[in-house]
Amino acid sequence: MAAYLQWRRFVFFDRETVKEPPGSDGAGAKPFALPPGIAVCDSGRGSLVFGDMEGQIWFLPRSLQLSSFQAYKLRVTHLYQLKQHSILVSVGEDEEGINPLVKVWNLEKRDGGNPLCTRIFPAIPGNKPTVVSCLTVHENLNFMAIGFADGSVVLTKGDITRDRHSKTQILHEGSYPVTGLAFRQSGKTTHLFVVTTENIQSYMLSVKDYPHLELDTHGCGLRCSSLSDPSQDLQFIVAGNECVYLYQPDERGPCFAFEGQKLIVHWYRGYLIIVSKDRKTSPKSEFAGNEAQNSDKQVLNIYDLCNKFIAYSSIFDDIVDVLAEWGSLYVLTRDGKIHVLQEKDTQTKLEMLFRKNLFEMAINLAKSHHLDSDGLSEIFRQYGDHLYNKGNHDGAIQQYIRTIGKLEPSYVIRKFLDAQRIHNLTAYLQTLHLQSLANADHTTLLLNCYTKLKDSSKLEEFIKTSDSEVRFDVETAIKVLRQAGYYSHAVYLAEKHEHHEWYLKIQLEDIKNYQEALHYIGKLPFEQAESNMKRYGKILMHHVPNETTELLKILCTDYRPSGDSEGHGMLEGKKANSEEFIPVFANNSRELKAFLEHMTEVQADSPQGVYDTLLELRLQNWAHEQDEQIKEKLHDEALTLLKSGRFKTVFDKALVLCQMHNFKDGVLYLYEQGKLFQQIMHYHMQNEQYKKVIEVCELYGDQEACLWEQALGYFARKEEDCKEYVAAVLKHIENKNLMPPLLVVQTLAHNSTATLSVIKDYLVNKLQKQSRQIEQDEQRIQKYREETTRIRQEIEELKASPKIFQKTKCSICTSALELPSVHFLCGHSFHQHCFESYSESDSECPTCMPENRKVMDMIRAQEQKRDLHDQFQHQLKCSNDGFSVVADYFGRGVFNKLTLITDLPSGKAATTLEAGLQRELLIHTKRST
């Protein structure tokens, strides 16, 4: 039971007296006056409806233009205006006595200017004359209930506007007057509340036989009951003189202690309106008109049962009734005046509550008025500010939490940044994250709060409860946790949300858990595993070299993530570029060698850098090894690698590596592969390996003849006795005629220990060969002179004496010559038909033509080479016998001076004649050859 004395009082309604519309004379408006004799009233469908003691029913619209019609001959006792239909039900008398009639009026239809009366029937149940005490009608027009002073209730079921479609029966009989009736519709269930002066009952009309239930053993007076709206769950309100009770169809609900004699009870928009007297009267007087003749002041209270306050309270003189229409309350008083109570708007109400710091009540009021979230948020903010200023920080933060989503978080955060308020700030930030409204800065702040409080349980709860939806910026959280030293929490977040780089950074740099980090990399997709091994490979190699090497082998051959073997088994393996991971092994040569050897074994097409590095590594190991057996093994491994054919494109690099490590066999092998025969010989010369020098000359002298000359110069400069080697070289030079003897003598002159006996045999043989060559040349010269003399004589004979042709046979067919025939100066004769058949030119002998062509081609070739001076110089420089080259070019006419003769000068006849003889000699030579 709630005592109304504890409820606060407010003035949420404005009271005014209804004035008449201003007249045409412009005079001040007078209070509106109702017709005299008003007995009953109701409202609905845009009008206030009144019934008077003379049988008239009046309608007052909002324009205040009264209208009426004669409904009964004597008086109107009850009215009920339906809210959803233009139907008015009235009870009145047409004759003296107790014979009340019920009339149903259709206000939308007219009968002679008056509303159409669709039904008239007597209200008295049976033959008992009794007075009608109350009337109610169901909004679906299927039920109407009439209560009587003798305690009976008549129920009309069916269409209440027509006689033949409805059925009337006595629902309730009792010994106490019926003071109130109300229909309650909940879904398809219909209940009828019946209240008398002594009890309250509930009938279920949607079930056959209408079962009923007695709810209480006390009742109320006339007009002291009402049905609430859905905000109070359609409860039946019964107002006694001490308390107000609320009922459900099957039980009694809450009770409110509102003292005073209750005269009128109404329900309006969530408000309970009670008109009462202050002084207490006897309960027996309640039904007998409630002492309406008493002129005591009456108090009208408007209660808000949800929020527990009195919205309005005022004193009136003798209230007839309280009606609700046009969004306002209208209070009718016995003097004929109408007072209107206009409810203030919600904002005005809230401001009134704010001024009194009644924020809780303002919140409840705003919710009951269905204020939007922005309006509620502003109330919560003001309430929070009020509590904060009072020092109630715990209460303030609770109100600020209710503003999340509307109020800027920084407004609240700035108020609670003090270290003493960190608990409040944490609560606010937690809620901000739960509603997924936090940004990265809020996450940072919340985690810092947790770490300052050292609240590990809350911290774990925060980062581990958001499985389905992450309500914070994960990367920010990881940074803050790492900075605060909560590495395990940071690692958990990084692994859960797949921030691989952060996970590895914390594991390697902070926790130093290298084994776990390496295992984690092995579970990553190929691209991420590759990038992270490049980034952290050196650290891992330093601490866990063997495991890191194994992972790199897998990564560079056939990588598949190690997490889900079934899921990844069908995927095609990927491989990284092994050359890019060589820097990872900077200080781990043993692991590097194992890695490179593995790569060359499983992947013959590994990058060149792998082979280069492996060669360098093997050469280093060979150079620093002290054990002869191991050194020999390393020597063979390095040489085998060189001979694998992988260094053809990087010949220079491999050669430099071998030279740096003084790897003799490797250097010689590379010289041989590169056809650097002179370098091979020079290498042996530097090491004074005389036999090796001779061997090189014998092996490669045919490909590069100058090797023997260089060997002779090398041995000639040696001071020790090299007679054996010099003799071998001279023998080869002599056989191949590689050097002139004079140059050989000059070369050997550099050796102070060499004697003439070293080259005695060489010189004797050389002189003998030259003597024989001179004799042959002299014989050839004599022959050429005799041939030249003979040819000149033949030319002279051709010029001076006739040529007699005595051939008797054809030179082609060997048959006897017959005329016509063709004869040539060369002595050949042909049948004319044979000549025409075989000759290619009319001026050339078919028999001599092939030899003549050879001579002409030689002459033409020599003429073309006359201007090849560069080629001449080159051959002269490179040839061992320069004289032969000069003689060859002299024969080609290279050194002949070209003279262009345009006129024959005097004294030159002999020259001209000589030139003619040479030309004729040439022709003769062509034909006679």
Side-chain angles (χ1 to χ4, degrees), residues 53 60 81 144 164 188 227 273 317 565 688 708 720 847 893:
M53 299 302 294
L60 181 64
Q81 172 66 58
M144 178 168 59
R164 62 181 180 178
K188 296 183 179 181
L227 190 72
I273 302 167
D317 292 330
S565 59
E688 297 185 351
W708 290 103
E720 59 268 21
T847 304

Side-chain angles (χ1 to χ4, degrees), residues 551-585:
L551 179 57
L552 285 175
K553 289 179 181 179
I554 298 173
L555 187 64
C556 296
T557 52
D558 186 18
Y559 179 78
R560 291 180 175 89
S562 61
D564 184 6
S565 59
E566 295 182 0
H568 296 286
M570 301 300 293
L571 297 177
E572 182 180 354
K574 297 182 178 180
K575 58 183 179 180
N577 186 346
S578 53
E579 185 178 3
E580 296 177 355
F581 292 97
I582 293 176
V584 170
F585 299 86

